[in-house]
């Protein structure tokens, strides 16, 4: 029996940090759509203007790059938790509303916690309100340290917000937080990394225990040690563990489509590589050399 063509929607991947070779490899592995959340760039920003240039890139250049490789690109925009502690960055909250009206924006995010400070409390609450006001879902970053306490604090703020649980994706979960996250009614996100967070085998064990309802799997794949093909590795691990093709498709395609589809802004039809005429983005292309 011929296995159907695999399709993957990576619901959280930082492609600004990756190369065009990564886009080509992702397409070959089955990735046809992705969401790129705005995040900390690895060094402090010094003014809100640097956020705005970054947001513009996520709405313009990155969708252009992705489309050249047959991948539909969407983004989420926000003041990230780490930089919520920097007073120089806070004015970006006043700029977000006009960006949240853009077609390519499918959620507010990443928001949530890094060090669990009062400033992060305020930024999380304010941006959950923005998500509600703009009828968008929210992508919530649970902290890398003290995860159980971080999730509990996140859920406290969510309960006080107007945003319904089914419009919230709690990301970076693991075995210690998945139970409480599932009980909250929110969607469940898992980041698969080479060395840290989750790996494919641990992900399979969680799926066996907790099922596939409201579960999203991502590669995150930022500028650190990460792998943009980890979603495909999870698909392989699920099949090897006896999951059916339809179940793999549910976790790696239909679930992210259902969550981000709440924005009403998903655009998933992108021609395959080579099927579109080469064009420029604001006078630039991804081509190098030749005429």
């Amino acid at each position: 029996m011929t296995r159907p063509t695999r399709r993957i929607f990576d619901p959280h991947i930082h492609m600004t940090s990756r190369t065009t070779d990564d886009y080509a490899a992702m397409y070959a592995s089955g990735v046809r759509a992705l969401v790129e959340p705005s995040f900390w760039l690895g060094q402090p920003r010094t003014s809100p203007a640097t956020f705005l240039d970054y947001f513009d890139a996520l709405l313009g250049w990155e969708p252009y790059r992705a489309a050249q490789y047959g991948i539909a690109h969407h983004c989420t925009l926000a003041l990230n938790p780490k930089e919520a502690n920097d007073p120089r960055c806070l004015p970006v909250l006043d700029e977000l509303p006009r960006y949240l009206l853009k077609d390519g924006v499918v959620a507010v995010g990443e928001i949530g916690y890094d060090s669990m400070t009062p400033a992060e409390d305020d930024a999380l609450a304010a941006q959950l309100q923005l998500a509600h006001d703009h009828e968008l879902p929210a992508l919530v970053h649970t902290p890398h340290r003290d995860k159980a306490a971080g999730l509990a604090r996140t859920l406290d703020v969510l309960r006080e917000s107007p945003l319904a649980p089914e419009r919230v994706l709690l990301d970076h979960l693991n075995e210690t937080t998945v139970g409480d996250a599932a009980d909250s009614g929110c969607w469940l996100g898992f980041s698969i990394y080479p060395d840290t967070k989750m790996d494919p085998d641990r992900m399979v064990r969680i799926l066996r225990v907790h099922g596939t309802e409201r579960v999203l799997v991502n590669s995150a794949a930022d500028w650190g040690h990460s792998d943009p093909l980890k979603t495909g590795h999870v698909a392989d691990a699920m099949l090897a563990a006896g999951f059916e093709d339809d179940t793999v498709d549910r976790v790696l395609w239909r679930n992210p489509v259902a969550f981000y589809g709440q924005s009403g802004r998903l655009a998933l039809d992108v021609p395959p590589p080579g099927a579109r005429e080469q064009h420029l983005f604001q006078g630039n292309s991804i081509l190098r050399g030749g005429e």
Side-chain angles (χ1 to χ4, degrees):
M1 178 179 177
T2 302
R3 188 181 302 283
T5 302
R6 180 163 73 188
R7 56 182 183 172
I8 294 173
F9 187 139
D10 194 324
H12 180 154
I13 182 168
H14 299 291
M15 292 307 298
T16 298
S17 308
R18 312 305 301 195
T19 68
T20 53
D21 288 349
D22 289 320
Y23 272 123
M26 289 163 59
Y27 184 87
S29 76
V31 175
R32 297 295 180 268
L34 62 85
V35 168
E36 178 164 2
S38 59
F39 79 134
W40 182 57
L41 293 181
Q43 68 180 37
R45 291 182 176 90
T46 58
S47 77
T50 59
F51 279 89
L52 304 187
D53 287 339
Y54 175 48
F55 292 167
D56 288 340
L58 293 182
L59 288 162
W61 177 246
E62 278 307 318
Y64 167 78
R65 277 213 308 161
Q68 307 312 301
Y69 291 89
I71 296 174
H73 181 289
H74 311 83
C75 68
T76 77
L77 301 181
L79 171 64
N80 68 81
K82 190 175 184 70
E83 288 174 308
N85 297 294
D86 189 336
R88 296 175 300 177
C89 299
L90 294 181
V92 78
L93 291 173
D94 297 326
E95 302 290 342
L96 269 173
R98 66 187 176 96
Y99 277 93
L100 297 180
L101 299 173
K102 305 291 186 180
D103 286 342
V105 181
V106 294
V108 175
E110 296 178 60
I111 57 178
Y113 286 109
D114 179 62
S115 300
M116 290 184 279
T117 65
E120 292 172 22
D121 289 331
D122 293 341
L124 174 56
Q127 292 182 99
L128 288 170
Q129 183 67 53
L130 282 175
H132 176 264
D133 293 345
H134 288 79
E135 298 182 343
L136 290 172
L139 170 60
V140 178
H141 170 105
T142 60
H144 301 306
R145 303 173 298 278
D146 202 0
K147 295 189 76 67
L151 177 64
R153 190 160 173 172
T154 300
L155 294 177
D156 285 343
V157 177
L158 285 171
R159 280 189 283 269
E160 295 174 358
S161 84
L163 200 61
E166 61 268 21
R167 297 180 71 81
V168 176
L169 170 57
L170 298 170
D171 216 342
H172 306 313
L173 299 176
N174 63 15
E175 295 90 344
T176 67
T177 53
V178 60
D180 288 342
D183 291 342
S184 74
C186 297
W187 291 72
L188 316 175
F190 299 88
S191 299
I192 314 300
Y193 269 67
D195 300 319
T196 60
K197 299 186 177 73
M198 299 292 297
D199 64 32
D201 292 333
R202 288 169 61 195
M203 190 67 240
V204 164
R205 290 195 292 271
I206 283 179
L207 290 169
R208 280 177 164 161
V209 173
H210 293 277
T212 61
E213 184 178 359
R214 306 194 318 273
V215 171
L216 280 72
V217 175
N218 69 75
S219 66
D222 55 25
W223 29 254
H225 186 201
S226 52
D227 183 351
L229 304 184
K230 281 297 183 184
T231 48
H233 296 169
V234 170
D236 294 338
M238 289 179 68
L239 293 171
F243 286 93
E244 296 182 353
D245 289 300
D246 183 71
T247 306
V248 174
D249 187 73
R250 178 180 185 182
V251 172
L252 293 173
W253 184 267
R254 301 199 306 272
N255 281 356
V257 167
F259 176 74
Y260 287 114
Q262 295 178 95
S263 69
R265 297 177 180 172
L266 284 183
L268 299 175
D269 295 328
V270 174
R276 62 166 62 226
E277 181 180 350
Q278 275 291 338
H279 63 284
L280 301 179
F281 176 76
Q282 296 183 353
N284 299 301
S285 81
I286 59 172
L287 301 177
R288 294 295 180 266
E291 296 183 3

